[in-house]
Amino acid sequence: METNTPEVKKTIFSGIQPSGSLTIGNYIGALRNFTLLQDDYNCIYCVVDMHAITVRQDPAQLRRRCLEVAATYIACGLDPKKNIIYCQSHVSGHAELAWILNCFTYMGELSRMTQYKDKCARHADNINAGLFDYPVLMAADILLYQADLVPIGADQKQHLELTRNIAQRFNSIYGDVFTVPEGYFGKVGSRIMSLQEPTRKMSKSDPDECYIAILDPEDAIRRKIKRAVTDSDGEIRYDPENKPGVSNLLSIIAAMSGQEIDSVVSDLQGQGYGALKNRCTEVVLDTLLPIQAEHARLMADKGYLQSILDENAQRANHLAQKTLRKIQKKVGFAARG
Ligand code: ATP
Ligand code: LTN
């Protein structure tokens, strides 16, 4: 990892939707990397509630989840004094820049997005324009802060590529105004799979047995790992194509323990899937239980959480306005007196 001197620290932006309970997929693919990067970059971590309403949400639940996700960020180790942690809807620049970027994005590009196609299939009764336009809002999130690096899971690669294309297209017309961002993907675990259907990505909006939530109680974690789908050949080997269930459990162990996959496999050599699942349970509990305790402590002090979000939204807004003014001028919006 590149280290920066304080004066030239690069900027990181990433976000997670408050569309359900965060899973260990969100943790391993995104959140854990947020914490690893916080010392070397200026980091902006957003709770992307505007993205979440592309799928129908219960208002009271969404409101609670925004606080819950912010508390999860902090409980996982993000220092709210060092990092800008805030809610997307509190900074109007996201929507304003998204509108401008809409005019530099083609319908054809958006129609090719696999997440859009997936979500259309899953929410056939509510294929709204926001769902289609979602990647442009994501591009606005990132470009608004001139982010250099974006830590995300593998499923977001296509959206980041689109963001880069939009930035380059804009720059080719107006000069170098946007920083063209790079993705940051962890060495292991950038695609954690469903426990019940290990050929599909683990998702917080899937049925409960498919994922482990960061806040799941201990007995639920034990039960879900015990019931995780494996295969019938009995050999512990990392082979995602032919042994997706076993390989997924190995990735979870490696990502959460910091061990290499090879060394996890050799530790378990000659043992059965029972031992694999026990090791996985142990590592997941070791990681999640302290996070859960800290989360409970933070949720008991909503005043503190609210003050963090308010303060940080102001800091984010200040940065956002700087970019927005520049872009508005570039496209030719009337000057303000
Ligand atoms: P939803 O089910 O509501 O679409 P999600 O669980 O896919 O949500 P997001 O909020 O869309 O989660 O993703 C937040 C971050 O977590 C993104 O960087 C995404 O790439 C990452 N992520 C999500 N699921 C996984 C996974 N299974 N493995 C690795 N990273 C993941
Ligand atoms: N689209 C992302 C969430 C997201 C995001 C972002 C991630 C919205 N805006 C900006 C990184 C940077 C997803 O995980 N579905």
Side-chain angles (χ1 to χ4, degrees):
M1 196 186 314
E2 194 183 335
T3 43
N4 303 302
T5 57
E7 314 82 72
V8 291
K9 267 191 183 177
K10 291 186 170 175
T11 300
I12 284 196
F13 182 94
S14 195
I16 300 184
Q17 301 184 70
S19 48
S21 303
L22 299 201
T23 70
I24 58 168
N26 299 130
Y27 178 76
I28 295 171
L31 252 171
R32 193 177 53 114
N33 295 329
F34 297 180
T35 63
L36 297 177
L37 296 162
Q38 64 179 329
D39 293 327
D40 295 322
Y41 294 82
N42 290 321
C43 299
I44 305 167
Y45 295 123
C46 186
V47 180
V48 289
D49 49 356
M50 289 161 68
H51 277 90
I53 63 161
T54 53
V55 170
R56 206 63 75 221
Q57 303 287 341
D58 171 72
Q61 210 171 46
L62 180 61
R63 210 174 337 269
R64 186 178 47 76
R65 278 192 178 135
C66 284
L67 276 190
E68 213 170 83
V69 173
T72 307
Y73 281 1
I74 301 170
C76 287
L78 288 180
D79 178 346
K81 293 276 169 228
K82 229 188 298 179
N83 304 278
I84 301 185
I85 295 171
Y86 73 105
C87 290
Q88 186 183 30
S89 62
H90 295 178
V91 176
S92 59
H94 291 260
E96 291 179 78
L97 183 60
W99 177 256
I100 297 176
L101 298 182
N102 268 328
C103 305
F104 295 85
T105 309
Y106 299 114
M107 303 286 286
E109 289 178 305
L110 293 177
S111 332
R112 284 195 290 277
M113 296 294 123
T114 46
Q115 185 176 299
Y116 168 68
K117 292 189 230 169
D118 279 0
K119 293 230 163 158
C120 282
R122 280 206 259 168
H123 304 277
D125 55 335
N126 181 21
I127 303 179
N128 60 72
L131 204 56
F132 186 67
D133 201 33
Y134 175 115
V136 182
L137 181 59
M138 176 164 164
D141 298 340
I142 298 167
L143 301 180
L144 193 56
Y145 300 97
Q146 306 284 16
D148 298 280
L149 205 62
V150 184
I152 37 176
D155 62 304
Q156 295 302 310
K157 233 180 206 162
Q158 198 185 26
H159 289 164
L160 186 73
E161 209 39 55
L162 177 72
T163 303
R164 290 168 54 84
N165 291 339
I166 296 172
Q168 280 159 346
R169 185 172 303 144
F170 197 94
N171 286 351
S172 72
I173 304 171
Y174 299 102
D176 275 344
V177 268
F178 284 128
T179 302
V180 180
E182 306 274 346
Y184 177 94
F185 304 92
K187 222 167 57 183
V188 278
S190 73
R191 193 173 166 81
I192 297 297
M193 310 309 271
S194 160
L195 297 179
Q196 289 302 313
E197 275 184 85
T199 50
R200 286 187 43 176
K201 181 185 93 97
M202 179 183 284
S203 215
K204 61 172 116 73
S205 34
D206 279 347
D208 189 61
E209 290 297 304
C210 297
Y211 63 79
I212 293 172
I214 295 178
L215 300 178
D216 264 346
E218 180 171 340
D219 57 337
I221 295 175
R222 290 185 184 281
R223 186 191 69 239
K224 288 179 185 182
I225 297 178
K226 202 176 238 166
R227 294 194 190 152
V229 168
T230 49
D231 53 52
S232 55
D233 85 357
E235 190 196 346
I236 298 178
R237 172 163 54 87
Y238 185 73
D239 177 356
E241 197 145 313
N242 299 305
K243 298 173 67 65
V246 167
S247 304
N248 193 35
L249 296 176
L250 288 169
S251 301
I252 294 171
I253 298 170
M256 284 193 160
S257 67
Q259 250 181 302
E260 297 288 334
I261 288 189
D262 284 353
S263 106
V264 177
V265 172
S266 70
D267 282 356
L268 290 164
Q269 225 28 263
Q271 304 189 58
Y273 292 164
L276 171 69
K277 288 182 169 180
N278 285 341
R279 175 77 183 127
C280 187
T281 306
E282 183 183 289
V283 171
V284 170
L285 289 175
D286 277 355
T287 309
L288 296 189
L289 295 183
I291 295 175
Q292 293 182 358
E294 181 60 8
H295 187 271
R297 201 185 61 77
L298 288 160
M299 287 303 281
D301 191 353
K302 299 239 171 35
Y304 167 74
L305 273 179
Q306 192 63 54
S307 71
I308 294 285
L309 292 177
D310 291 346
E311 229 172 78
N312 281 320
Q314 280 189 28
R315 291 164 69 199
N317 190 48
H318 179 76
L319 298 170
Q321 286 301 323
K322 237 170 77 182
T323 308
L324 198 59
R325 293 286 169 258
K326 197 156 131 189
I327 300 305
Q328 288 169 333
K329 193 168 165 196
K330 287 282 179 191
V331 298
F333 288 174
R336 295 162 194 239

